[in-house]
Amino acid sequence: MNQYDPTTPDHYTNHLAEVNETNAVIATEDIYNKDGMLLVKKGLAIKPEVARRLLNHKLVKPLEVSVNVDDALYGQEIHRDIHQMFDRFEGLLEIHSSMRLEASLIEVCEKYGGYDLLVQKVTVLCKRLPKEYQKGLFCAWLSFAMATRLNLSNEEREAAFMAGLAHDAGMLHIDPQIVAKTGEYTPEEWRAMQSHTLIGELFLSYIKEIPDVTRRAVKEHHERADGSGYPAGLFEDSLCIVGQVVAMADATYAICEKRRFNDKIHLGEVMPVFQIDSSFFPNQVHMALMSVLRQVNHAATQQEISGDLSGMSAQLMEKRQMLEGVVESIYALRETLAEREHIKRMRVAKVKIDRLWTLVTRSGMLSAPLGRWLQHVIENQIIQTVSREIVEMDLMYQELQWQLKQLGRVLYLYLEEEKKVTPELRKALTNSIKVLDMGAPKSMEKEEKVA
Ligand SMILES: [Fe+2]
């Protein structure tokens, strides 16, 4: 994972210079380098030429604690933007009302406005990485709702909100070309992307008043209960619940993003995906999400599905066959992994295969009757009448495909880290990685890298 030094100006400096074009970014104190040289006088704007100068020096303090961004997004603006975000998701406002979250949302937004550095980061995120900002709004709200459902303490509920909002703000310190990349990452790029968790944790440490659990939740939002996450690959018993709440909110958003139909996202559609497999997240967190989503009257909010359903059904048929082959071939790998369970990555991979197998057999998603049903639907052109089932099936297949790719990543990391691998094992794992690395929609590949 890349080393991040908060006192060495990085890509965030350039982001500040860009933001300065619309919202003045002014030095609130004289800025010195480590040798005591004055680089920027108090009151000066962070223009591109100033940014260039800063990039050549190591500073006494991180740049962000010595600047102020004008017209920043404080509590009122975040509250406004969360309500605007409700318009994109069918059912969110209904949940918000039935859980009576409004008063506590206003309160937590006000609290957020008191953390100046957090306000600055979120403002820069909104200006420079608007998609991450929108995701942050969703995760802040959903994490807060889940934390409420879990009856967590006020401090933990606040942490869920703040960490949800800023969980990906660490990306502002990573090369924007890597962040914006849509193809496959190189191992170095992948490591750089993973570092956003630790960067996020570190910059929050400059906000003294913020509870430790907020920092920890940001650091752990890509950790998974089965040990397959990062940065530390911790298992469920070592993870904090708030981090897992944010992780699950993040995963929910990713599933919403994967859906291919309608402008407005119906939140009830993500339920089947999580119902088929909850192994990634602690059970109580999984239950909390289900409980929040059940606040929506799904029947009342059913909407007409629009889009090329015929094309999707044909693709589903193909994908079904491909997934069937992949699942069978990876099950054959199970024996090989079982013999090496004393190695952590091998154990994680074996547990993943067992869970995937249970998931596939229990859900029946690759069963012959379901295949015959899909064939029947296509041949008899009755797709429109079963449109919701088709969309659910598509989401489930995408989820399975994503989880298989995650398994491939665990095997890849093992081969990368472990030098003493027998030629036979290397061959077997390399073949499996190839099989698991199936073609996926571009949007999914992108998500898969950071999930
Ligand atoms: Fe992230």
Side-chain angles (χ1 to χ4, degrees):
M1 211 149 295
N2 283 16
Q3 276 301 317
Y4 164 68
D5 172 8
T7 57
T8 302
D10 59 13
H11 299 282
Y12 189 67
T13 310
N14 292 329
H15 282 308
L16 286 174
E18 291 287 340
V19 170
N20 180 61
E21 299 284 315
T22 52
N23 305 42
V25 181
I26 306 293
T28 53
E29 58 187 339
D30 290 343
I31 299 175
Y32 293 92
N33 76 1
K34 282 274 187 215
D35 302 323
M37 184 200 290
L38 179 63
L39 298 174
V40 183
K41 264 198 97 52
K42 180 180 173 181
L44 205 68
I46 308 298
K47 292 181 176 172
E49 58 271 25
V50 176
R52 276 195 293 279
R53 192 186 321 147
L54 286 165
L55 284 167
N56 293 321
H57 297 270
K58 198 168 161 61
L59 309 181
V60 175
K61 289 186 197 175
L63 178 61
E64 46 267 62
V65 302
S66 305
V67 297
N68 178 64
V69 178
D70 261 10
D71 292 326
L73 299 173
Y74 283 92
Q76 270 190 350
E77 288 77 20
I78 295 299
H79 178 259
R80 174 202 66 201
D81 289 354
I82 285 178
H83 271 268
Q84 279 178 6
M85 181 266 300
F86 285 164
D87 292 342
R88 288 179 52 220
F89 295 86
E90 188 89 43
L92 234 61
L93 188 57
E94 196 183 337
I95 297 172
H96 188 70
S97 306
S98 73
M99 287 184 70
R100 299 174 197 276
L101 289 172
E102 182 62 10
S104 48
L105 177 68
I106 291 172
E107 233 172 78
V108 79
C109 284
E110 267 174 31
K111 188 91 192 259
Y112 149 84
Y115 298 132
D116 285 344
L117 184 56
L118 189 58
V119 168
Q120 181 195 124
K121 293 279 177 176
V122 169
T123 304
V124 178
L125 191 71
C126 171
K127 295 277 172 194
R128 301 296 299 152
L129 299 175
K131 280 188 180 169
E132 271 71 19
Y133 172 68
Q134 285 300 324
K135 185 167 72 162
L137 295 173
F138 178 91
C139 290
W141 176 84
L142 183 55
S143 301
F144 189 63
M146 287 166 71
T148 304
R149 209 23 112 203
L150 282 161
N151 284 324
L152 298 186
S153 67
N154 283 344
E155 185 176 278
E156 287 170 315
R157 288 174 73 215
E158 179 202 311
F161 182 86
M162 307 298 169
L165 190 60
H167 69 282
D168 276 346
M171 294 215 187
L172 290 166
H173 293 262
I174 298 168
D175 183 344
Q177 284 192 334
I178 300 178
V179 175
K181 190 171 173 183
T182 52
E184 284 296 318
Y185 287 135
T186 64
E188 292 72 34
E189 289 170 339
W190 170 231
R191 264 188 282 276
M193 282 303 279
Q194 285 191 329
S195 69
H196 78 279
T197 50
L198 296 172
I199 296 172
E201 183 209 12
L202 202 56
F203 75 65
L204 286 175
S205 68
Y206 286 92
I207 309 172
K208 295 286 171 252
E209 320 80 57
I210 215 159
D212 282 347
V213 62
T214 311
R215 284 186 271 278
R216 196 170 159 198
V218 168
K219 182 167 84 173
E220 293 181 2
H221 80 269
H222 283 289
E223 297 286 1
R224 294 292 180 261
D226 64 0
S228 63
Y230 64 80
L234 298 176
F235 286 89
E236 180 174 343
D237 52 2
S238 308
L239 295 169
C240 80
I241 189 157
V242 181
Q244 290 304 288
V245 163
V246 175
M248 193 146 202
D250 196 25
T252 305
Y253 191 83
I255 289 169
C256 290
E257 290 265 281
K258 281 179 200 169
R259 63 191 298 296
R260 299 193 249 168
F261 289 90
N262 295 344
D263 294 335
K264 202 160 180 171
I265 296 161
H266 187 285
L267 216 61
E269 286 173 11
V270 306
M271 283 181 79
V273 178
F274 281 123
Q275 272 165 348
I276 56 171
D277 181 47
S278 58
S279 61
F280 266 3
F281 303 100
N283 194 42
Q284 53 177 330
V285 175
H286 181 261
M287 299 299 280
L289 176 68
M290 290 301 129
S291 168
V292 168
L293 295 183
R294 281 197 195 100
Q295 301 294 312
V296 193
N297 180 355
H298 299 300
T301 52
Q302 286 250 343
Q303 53 179 332
E304 185 91 345
I305 307 266
S306 56
D308 180 17
L309 282 165
S310 301
M312 188 199 249
S313 311
Q315 281 174 18
L316 278 180
M317 204 63 178
E318 275 176 32
K319 198 180 266 190
R320 190 183 167 281
Q321 281 163 359
M322 177 189 74
L323 288 171
E324 210 171 16
V326 175
V327 169
E328 268 175 32
S329 84
I330 60 129
Y331 196 70
L333 182 71
R334 193 181 169 281
E335 285 285 291
T336 313
L337 301 177
E339 291 162 13
R340 295 166 177 83
E341 271 198 90
H342 54 284
I343 304 165
K344 187 182 165 195
R345 294 252 189 237
M346 297 287 96
R347 190 168 69 244
V348 169
K350 182 184 157 288
V351 169
K352 271 189 171 299
I353 291 178
D354 287 344
R355 283 176 171 170
L356 281 168
W357 192 257
T358 312
L359 155 70
V360 167
T361 44
R362 266 201 206 147
S363 68
M365 65 164 86
L366 297 178
S367 67
L370 192 64
R372 284 197 292 275
W373 173 81
L374 186 59
Q375 188 72 42
H376 173 78
V377 166
I378 295 170
E379 284 171 5
N380 292 282
Q381 297 179 356
I382 51 168
I383 293 154
Q384 203 59 48
T385 59
V386 291
S387 56
R388 193 152 296 281
E389 286 82 354
I390 294 286
V391 170
E392 278 181 10
M393 202 171 167
D394 179 50
L395 279 174
M396 281 198 270
Y397 282 3
Q398 286 196 48
E399 179 66 12
L400 176 61
Q401 196 168 2
W402 181 77
Q403 293 203 21
L404 288 165
K405 281 198 147 205
Q406 290 290 312
L407 172 64
R409 171 162 307 135
V410 174
L411 301 179
Y412 174 84
L413 287 173
Y414 170 72
L415 283 184
E416 203 188 45
E417 290 162 5
E418 184 59 59
K419 302 296 167 218
K420 290 178 198 156
V421 181
T422 61
E424 300 78 47
L425 180 61
R426 183 169 291 279
K427 193 175 170 197
L429 295 183
T430 309
N431 283 342
S432 294
I433 292 166
K434 269 189 208 150
V435 170
L436 291 163
D437 188 31
M438 13 184 189
K442 281 290 171 208
S443 60
M444 193 175 132
E445 283 177 9
K446 167 81 178 165
E447 166 51 35
E448 189 238 352
K449 282 172 218 157
V450 289

